[in-house]
Amino acid sequence: MNRAFNRKKDKSWMHTPEALAKHFIPYNAKFLGNTEVDQPKGTEVVKDAVRKLKFQRHIKKSEGQKIPKVELQISIYGVKILDPKSKEVQYNCQLHRISFCADDKTDKRIFTFICKDSESNKHLCYVFDSEKCAEEITLTIGQAFDLAYKKFLESGGKDVETRKQIGGLQKRIQDLEAENSELKKQLQVLEEQLMIAQVPPGSSMSSKTPTDIFDMVPFSPMTPLVPLPASNGSAPPPPARPTEISRDLFGAEPFDPFTCGAADFPPDIQSKLDEMQEGFKMGLTVEGTVFSLDPLEGRC
């Protein structure tokens, strides 16, 4: 791996090996962004990337956007870039993919590193702004490289291959979890659509009257016949009376006490009825026999 730390070879490291091997060293910085570069190393390569990202950041600053703050976690396994509040990992740059790291001599706040992206295999230059810790962060990444290289020699190269496989499996697990979550959402939408299609709005399956193959309600002697409402929801019309009146064997019309009126009786019968109604007030005389409504005077 090519590294540019611009430090003396005999300069002591700042952290203990256990801190970088078993844990990580956190730093806070401002993230200017990343951009694709043509080469995996080189001072001029990172200078061009810094100028490009500074110009883009200047434009965004004029629009009112602030430089986002991030947290860096440095260990022998790589450099993680996280959101300082939610601790969500934005980028995970594995150490064996970092090919170059340097701090800017003209601007003491700027430091960069180049990392090969695991998906696109493109080389991306990450640029950060730290007012006081730019040089220290660069030294910490250099120490992580030194410890990782010693561990590589001790394990005979097997440790690096194992980390590559673990990194690939972790990426695969993340992709499968995202795909599983998306499939669950689609399944829930399909279930809701199926329920809506089976049960139309405003209707109940239990209140619907069963019909036969001719769409008619079957007759049951145990239940009364109730007229069904019309198709438009209005009440059914009353049954029409027959226009032709039936007659009995003697040619007379049948007597219907619910439809006949006073005009339906002959004059002699009508007068007799009037006399009977008048007689109920004082007494009723029928064929020479007198009935009195007074119990004290009643006799026959």
Side-chain angles (χ1 to χ4, degrees):
M1 297 181 184
N2 297 288
R3 301 181 296 276
F5 300 108
N6 297 321
R7 300 290 178 268
K8 295 180 180 180
K9 293 183 179 180
D10 57 350
K11 188 170 182 178
S12 60
W13 298 115
M14 302 181 63
H15 308 285
T16 61
E18 291 77 11
L20 288 166
K22 297 182 180 181
H23 305 283
F24 58 85
I25 306 299
Y27 290 99
N28 292 323
K30 294 181 179 180
F31 185 35
L32 273 68
N34 57 18
T35 182
E36 182 181 357
V37 293
D38 299 331
Q39 301 295 328
K41 60 180 180 178
T43 305
E44 294 299 325
V45 176
V46 296
K47 282 184 178 180
D48 293 339
V50 170
R51 283 194 294 266
K52 179 180 178 180
L53 291 175
K54 277 186 174 181
F55 179 73
Q56 293 178 359
R57 183 55 56 184
H58 179 72
I59 295 176
K60 292 181 179 180
K61 187 177 180 180
S62 63
E63 296 175 353
Q65 299 184 18
K66 295 182 179 181
I67 302 176
K69 296 180 180 180
V70 295
E71 178 182 334
L72 300 176
Q73 294 182 356
I74 303 172
S75 67
I76 62 173
Y77 302 105
V79 179
K80 289 184 179 180
I81 305 173
L82 301 89
D83 183 273
K85 294 183 179 180
S86 64
K87 302 299 180 181
E88 179 182 358
V89 178
Q90 299 176 355
Y91 300 95
N92 185 11
C93 303
Q94 298 177 355
L95 204 66
H96 68 274
R97 292 185 174 273
I98 298 177
S99 57
F100 190 82
C101 180
D103 56 309
D104 195 345
K105 291 300 180 182
T106 59
D107 192 345
K108 299 294 183 179
R109 302 177 306 173
I110 301 297
F111 69 95
T112 66
F113 63 82
I114 298 176
C115 180
K116 188 176 183 180
D117 186 66
S118 59
E119 295 182 357
S120 62
N121 286 330
K122 296 179 180 180
H123 292 92
L124 302 177
C125 182
Y126 294 79
V127 181
F128 302 89
D129 184 343
S130 179
E131 186 175 355
K132 298 180 180 180
C133 300
E135 183 179 2
E136 181 180 341
I137 294 173
T138 306
L139 285 172
T140 303
I141 296 177
Q143 184 180 359
F145 269 111
D146 186 71
L147 293 173
Y149 184 67
K150 290 180 180 179
K151 192 174 182 180
F152 170 77
L153 295 177
E154 293 174 358
S155 63
K158 297 180 179 179
D159 187 64
V160 176
E161 294 299 327
T162 303
R163 288 204 304 270
K164 288 182 179 179
Q165 295 177 2
I166 293 175
L169 291 175
Q170 290 176 345
K171 183 65 171 59
R172 179 60 177 165
I173 290 173
Q174 292 178 356
D175 295 340
L176 290 175
E177 288 178 349
E179 183 179 357
N180 186 32
S181 178
E182 184 65 25
L183 289 175
K184 284 183 178 179
K185 293 180 181 179
Q186 294 179 5
L187 180 61
Q188 184 178 1
V189 172
L190 291 175
E191 289 178 351
E192 293 176 355
Q193 293 178 353
L194 183 61
M195 291 177 63
I196 294 175
Q198 290 179 348
V199 182
S203 65
S204 176
M205 298 297 293
S206 59
S207 61
K208 185 177 179 182
T209 305
T211 57
D212 57 13
I213 59 175
F214 300 103
D215 199 21
M216 299 181 64
V217 179
F219 172 75
S220 175
M222 301 301 295
T223 56
L225 294 177
V226 180
L228 297 177
S231 59
N232 58 0
S234 60
R241 295 180 60 87
T243 55
E244 183 179 356
I245 301 175
S246 60
R247 299 179 181 273
D248 56 13
L249 295 176
F250 302 100
E253 296 181 2
F255 175 73
D256 189 353
F258 298 101
T259 58
C260 65
D264 296 333
F265 294 99
D268 54 340
I269 297 177
Q270 183 64 41
S271 59
K272 191 67 175 179
L273 290 175
D274 293 340
E275 293 176 0
M276 291 173 64
Q277 291 177 358
E278 187 68 25
F280 271 106
K281 298 179 181 179
M282 300 299 296
L284 182 62
T285 304
V286 180
E287 296 181 355
T289 305
V290 178
F291 294 88
S292 174
L293 297 179
D294 188 354
L296 298 179
E297 298 180 359
R299 63 185 183 275
C300 60

